[in-house]
Amino acid sequence: MGLGFIVGFLGALVLFHAAYSTIQYRALLKITEEEFSGPPLNVIVELFIGLVICIWAALTLPGKFLSIHPDSDENRIVSLPDNLDFMIFNHRRKVFPLEMDMKLRH
């Protein structure tokens, strides 16, 4: 487990705590028979902090981006598979004419 995974888990815990605090606040408002106008400021701050922590963890967790070389033999787009039995060329495209001369009607 790397640092990004641990930080992401802590960010998720912060978000869950903010959700629990909001539910608890709404229950308190029901007891006191007051109207819910929005979560308190500390919950909003906690949500923002949890969001920032989760975004940071999501951006650092995957690791380093690798470049794609178009002339590589490992590129699946450039090289066709050895077994061509699974490639389908008989599909619905043959129903349509090659050149569609459709004009928009005004």
Side-chain angles (χ1 to χ4, degrees):
M1 280 200 244
L3 178 67
F5 182 76
I6 294 171
V7 170
F9 184 74
L10 290 175
L13 284 178
V14 169
L15 290 175
F16 284 127
H17 184 266
Y20 179 74
S21 297
T22 303
I23 293 169
Q24 193 175 23
Y25 177 70
R26 287 189 67 152
L28 178 67
L29 288 179
K30 284 182 183 179
I31 292 172
T32 58
E33 297 179 354
E34 294 180 21
E35 189 175 325
F36 181 75
S37 61
L41 183 62
N42 61 347
V43 173
I44 294 173
V45 170
E46 192 173 353
L47 280 171
F48 182 72
I49 290 171
L51 179 70
V52 169
I53 290 172
C54 286
I55 288 175
W56 180 83
L59 291 176
T60 58
L61 188 63
K64 183 181 176 185
F65 288 109
L66 300 175
S67 62
I68 299 174
H69 302 289
D71 297 329
S72 174
D73 291 334
E74 298 170 359
N75 193 352
R76 287 181 270 164
I77 296 173
V78 174
S79 63
L80 292 174
D82 295 333
N83 188 359
L84 297 177
D85 292 339
F86 294 105
M87 296 185 75
I88 300 172
F89 296 104
N90 188 15
H91 49 76
R92 288 181 270 175
R93 175 65 179 111
K94 68 180 181 178
V95 174
F96 300 109
L98 292 177
E99 294 182 15
M100 295 181 70
D101 293 329
M102 295 180 68
K103 298 179 181 177
L104 296 175
R105 296 180 183 175
H106 295 295

